[in-house]
Amino acid sequence: MRDLAFVAFLFAFIGVGFRKPFLFVLCFCYIDIVAPQKLSYFLINSIPISLIVFGLAIVGWLVFDDKRDTRWSGRQSLLVILLLYCWATTVNADFPVEAQDKWSWVWKALVWAIFLPLTLRTKLRIEALALIMLLSAAAIAIAGGIKTAAGGGGYGSLQLLLSENYGLYEGSIMSTVGIAIIPLILWYRKHGTVFQPDWRVSLFCFALCFACMLLPVGTQARTGLVCLIVLAILSLRAVRHRLLYMVGAGLLAAAAIPFLPQSYTARMETIRDHRADESASTRVAVWAWTWEYAKDHPFGGGFNAYLQNHLRVERAASSNANAAPQEALPSVYEDKARAYHSSYFEMLGEQGYPGLILWLVLQAAGLFRMEQLRRRYLKTRRAEEQWIAPLATALQHGHIVYMVGSLFVGIAFQPFIYMMLALEIGLSTYCRRREQQSGWRPLMARPAQVPARHAFPAER
């Protein structure tokens, strides 16, 4: 019954979508994040829903959408180069069959990141994309937060909406993304217009932030804790009363510690005693192997090149008397075909030095551009532009959290992150277009006025 209802909705949506092609864009973002077809029992699983909506979005934009305000960004050119380079390494991969498996979804993530900014012509579209991304991630975060609050969870055992480690449904990845979207949630609470800011929107946003902060506890992902600490530090830039913020954050952390499960605190202790932890010590060994591999293969080995690694891991004895007992493993043991568990080493091993440099330049350019927009629009007195600096700040903070989380999780090609990157590019081209058309100067504007609510059909 659920499958038939979804198919009926899809046909109705297609009928409306050709009148508003941007709806196809939003629909694909939701499908790519939540993967509702994987929640189905039979019918939807047998239909390539993602590919169908992907094609409808691009064809709908090409044929029906207004493209007068479309702009191209230098970062889109970098994405095109990265796409072509990844294709070249896939053709010459060490493991051609396995490389094709990863390439089958990586190319869609890159093409979508190239295409998506072309559709973000208006403030409403930028806001709508941010809203769909937040609500899609919220479906996963709320499920994880409720289960954690009810006493569930555990490393590798917290089941979100799916029982498989697919996309955002993997614990460490969702913990990283959950923390990264908190600034965007808080931005929407104050500056959103699709849902007018009121006490209901604020309540939902605060509850969603709380659910996102519970994810590292439920998944027991050390990466999530590191990301949360980094975000707490970054937030000092945006708060007015920094001393009060620091005192409140410290008291909140101290009050939360007694309620944390013992298994969680024991696992977090391994951050400072990583050589005694099997997972952490194996990751370090994989990174060392990748570094040596890149010396002999400077252009990378293609996707999933880690399958050829063979590791000799040395595990030290734990110095923490209260730590959970380790499995019966020898102090020196061998392992093989272990994943990179780091986006930086993922790029180095699979795409070599050129791919890693391209990826780093792409990230650095995004952070730099968001800082430019933040400073340029921070003191503007035009009410209709006062959402720009906070959005640039939120995207920049989320991006930094992603870069920190990427140190410990292999998410170099995670589609959700590339949607955030596309959102940054869309915001940048939107601002550049307005400035070029009107010769606008942020610091020479008239006093603020109350902005009008957006009308969705007008898209202006």
Side-chain angles (χ1 to χ4, degrees), residues 91-133:
V91 172
N92 300 283
D94 293 347
F95 297 90
V97 176
E98 291 79 1
Q100 284 292 337
D101 289 340
K102 186 171 180 178
W103 170 252
S104 66
W105 59 266
V106 167
W107 75 264
K108 285 194 296 184
L110 292 175
V111 168
W112 192 250
I114 296 167
F115 163 74
L116 191 53
L118 301 177
T119 69
L120 302 179
R121 299 183 294 104
T122 65
K123 191 264 184 182
L124 178 59
R125 291 191 173 196
I126 293 173
E127 179 187 336
L129 175 59
L131 178 61
I132 288 296
M133 290 173 60

Side-chain angles (χ1 to χ4, degrees), residues 371-387:
E371 181 64 20
Q372 275 189 326
L373 292 179
R374 175 183 176 273
R375 296 190 178 193
R376 183 175 301 174
Y377 289 86
L378 187 61
K379 296 182 180 180
T380 180
R381 293 187 294 273
R382 284 190 174 184
E384 64 271 20
E385 307 293 347
Q386 289 182 354
W387 60 275

